[in-house]
Every structure is written in structure tokens, then in C-alpha cells.
Amino acid sequence: MSVSSDQFQDRMLSLGLARVSEAAALASAKLIGRGDEKAADQAAVNAMREQLNMLEIAGVVVIGEGERDEAPMLFIGEEVGTGNGPGVDIALDPLEGTTLTAKDMPNALTVIAMGPRGSMLHAPDVYMDKLAIGPGYAEDTVTLDMSVKERVAALAKAKGCSMQDITVCVLERPRHEQTIEDIRSTGAAIRLITDGDVAGVMHCAEAATTGIDMYMGEGGAPEGVLAAAALKCMGGQMYGRLLFRNDDERGRAAKAGITDLDKIYSRDDMVTKDVIFAATGVTDGSILHGIRREVGYLTTETILMRSKTGSVRRMSYRNPVS
């Protein structure tokens, strides 16, 4: 049976997507630890755009880099690919953890997800209250409507352990001081991260490896959609609620077609159809090795996932450099 060129062929496109994330990581390699966030981001953006434009797709960036960062964006609405082939939505962060890269700190990644047109929430560039746990739990084991203490207690009960055996990942920000205090009052442990909450959410899906059971806290809404795409492939639950600080941010939501400002989005509300997801390690982390250097070569590790099959592939790429 022939396959129409306008159908989303996730298997055929997956290796191409891995090349996109690998190229962005390799481009940022020379800037690891150099203290220049913008240069690292620009290098990753340029490489990611160049590789995307080689793919036989009619792609539209629906999740790009945030306006807040005043960064060299792959901007929302930008068309990428050759223009031939299936229409696809693309969510990306060419360098998730620019500060982590500049300071050579753990868990900097290049991240990209792709799905059929209309498959991803067009999240405005505002904050999102996020909550995520890994696979294997009943639906709504934890919810955003629960207090912090109730979430920890509910997850401990579902896991069959004490609250002291739960570890929660939280972005280290002043706005999370009360959340951190509430988590610690339960006896649970906290893994604080300085940046990179896509990786933070992904940690929940591999709790046996990372030691993290739950992610909670406020971070960028675009990154929330990327994290939901990862969990769609890896398994796990995620909930998000958009947060608005002023009329300008509410206007961004209206522009993105969002009318219910109080809606709680589940993972499958944020990513409604099957997607493919690729991430490449830039600096060493709990999920992926960072870029390895040796004379004449750079080696990357990439995780490539398809939600349709639940497959998770890890790939090492040894790239000759002059």
C-alpha cells in the first residue's frame, strides 16, 4: 500500500529529527564553559535551522524560543523544511540550558519534538504551573488542585512508600520558596535545579535511574509543551495551568487562541497526537551524557523516542572534526 506524501511518517522522520538535535549540540560544543550564553544559543539555533531545512517536511514552529529571553529565536510561526512532504508542528529549544552551557553545569540539552499539524498546544510565552510524575500510576494520582503536601502524600501512597522516600525536582527560584518549605515539611527530599525544566520533567519518567519521583513548580509554558511531548513518548502524567501576571500576557494567550485562562491541561491536552522527540546531551546529566571530546572527534549521545510505539532509542554519534 502506498503512503501519501502528506501523511506524518514518524518512523521515516525520526532519524532526521535526531540529526537536528545532534547538529545543534555539536554547534554549541565549542562554547561550553566559555561564559557566553547568547553565542552558545545562536550557534545552536543556526545549526538547528540549517538541519531542519533539509528535511522533507512543510514544518511550522509552534513552540520556539521565548520572547522574554530576547534570544536569536527560531520564532513561532517560522516555516522550516523543504516545503515538500507532510505538514508538521515543531516544538523546539535549540539549547535548553544556555546558562548551564556557558557555566559547564549539568543537564544542558538540545531538544526538539515533531507531530502532525495541529498536534501541539500553541502555548503563549508566559509561565505555567507544572506537575509531573512518571509512568505506572493511576490517572489523577496527583493533581494541580491538591496542596503540595497532599501531592507528596498521594504519590507516596501510590508508590507504597513513606513520604521520606519521595524525591521532588524543583527549579531553584525565589518564587518557589514556599513550595520548597512545604515539600520539606513532609520529609520528602528535593533535587534543586538551576535551569532546564524540560530535563527536570523527563527525570520523572526514569525514576529508577534519576532518583526523581515528581516535578513541580512554575516555569515557561513553551517548555511545558516540550516536556509533555517527552512524557507522551516515555510515559508518565503531566498537568499544566497557564499563569498570567498582566494584561500583556493575557493578550498573548488570546493571540494564541486560548480563551479559558484557568484551564488545567493534561499531557494529552498539550500534545494531542502521536509525536517524535529527540534530545542530545550538551553537558553531562542524569538522562544523557554530554559531549565527549577527543583529538579529531566529538561524540554525542541522543535519546530518540516515538510515542506511537513507545520506543526509546539511545544513540552515540562520533563526529570527525577538523
Side-chain angles (χ1 to χ4, degrees):
M1 185 179 76
S2 64
V3 179
S4 170
S5 64
D6 63 357
Q7 289 182 328
F8 180 62
Q9 300 173 47
D10 64 324
R11 184 171 178 272
M12 299 299 291
L13 288 168
S14 59
L15 285 176
L17 202 70
R19 289 190 182 99
V20 173
S21 66
E22 286 168 351
L26 288 166
S28 64
K30 63 182 177 295
L31 291 151
I32 296 170
R34 310 297 178 186
D36 193 337
E37 297 178 19
K38 288 190 176 181
D41 202 20
Q42 183 72 69
V45 166
N46 292 348
M48 188 167 273
R49 178 182 283 120
E50 182 180 345
Q51 285 293 318
L52 276 170
N53 285 333
M54 294 180 186
L55 296 182
E56 293 290 320
I57 56 171
V60 176
V61 176
V62 298
I63 296 292
E65 293 202 294
E67 297 162 3
R68 251 193 332 264
D69 299 333
E70 297 179 356
M73 293 186 286
L74 265 157
F75 59 87
I76 294 170
E78 181 171 350
E79 296 181 0
V80 293
T82 63
N84 302 315
V88 297
D89 279 356
I90 294 170
L92 51 82
D93 193 337
L95 188 56
E96 212 240 342
T98 54
T99 302
L100 301 177
T101 302
K103 295 182 177 180
D104 196 4
M105 295 171 67
N107 285 317
L109 305 169
T110 60
V111 184
I112 186 165
M114 182 189 295
R117 188 66 53 79
S119 58
M120 299 184 204
L121 175 69
H122 292 212
D125 184 31
V126 299
Y127 282 112
M128 176 185 280
D129 190 14
K130 306 172 191 178
L131 176 63
I133 58 174
Y137 298 105
E139 190 175 348
D140 294 333
T141 293
V142 296
T143 70
L144 278 176
D145 290 329
M146 291 177 175
S147 69
V148 169
K149 294 179 182 180
E150 287 170 341
R151 295 171 190 173
V152 175
L155 185 58
K157 181 179 179 182
K159 191 178 179 183
C161 65
S162 72
M163 289 190 283
Q164 286 84 358
D165 294 324
I166 296 293
T167 299
V168 185
C169 184
V170 181
L171 198 58
E172 189 173 17
R173 295 289 186 272
R175 62 181 179 270
H176 290 148
E177 286 176 0
Q178 187 60 54
T179 297
I180 290 167
E181 187 177 316
D182 290 346
I183 294 170
R184 288 203 166 124
S185 73
T186 68
I190 298 176
R191 175 88 56 86
L192 288 171
I193 56 174
T194 58
D195 292 278
D197 65 350
V198 175
V201 171
M202 289 173 68
H203 285 148
C204 301
E206 296 191 336
T209 302
T210 65
I212 291 172
D213 301 291
M214 179 161 46
Y215 179 91
M216 70 171 84
E218 300 171 10
E223 290 85 354
V225 177
L226 266 170
L231 286 196
K232 184 100 170 177
C233 299
M234 302 175 84
Q237 300 175 38
M238 182 174 176
Y239 302 93
R241 180 195 287 121
L242 298 175
L243 303 172
F244 304 98
R245 296 171 293 182
N246 51 49
D247 287 340
D248 174 62
E249 293 191 348
R250 283 181 279 273
R252 291 181 196 175
K255 188 177 178 182
I258 293 169
T259 54
D260 183 356
L261 302 186
D262 299 315
K263 178 179 174 69
I264 292 177
Y265 296 90
S266 69
R267 182 198 73 184
D268 293 342
D269 291 328
M270 289 186 267
V271 182
T272 60
K273 300 176 184 177
D274 280 319
V275 294
I276 49 181
F277 178 98
T280 302
V282 176
T283 58
D284 275 340
S286 308
I287 296 172
L288 288 163
H289 292 304
I291 294 167
R292 296 283 191 268
R293 301 172 182 274
E294 58 182 296
V295 176
Y297 294 93
L298 292 173
T299 300
T300 60
E301 185 183 26
T302 297
I303 187 168
L304 175 63
M305 306 185 288
R306 298 165 59 206
S307 65
K308 184 176 182 178
T309 59
S311 61
V312 177
R313 181 179 303 194
R314 290 177 178 274
M315 301 184 298
S316 179
Y317 173 42
R318 190 169 183 253
N319 182 56
V321 292
S322 55

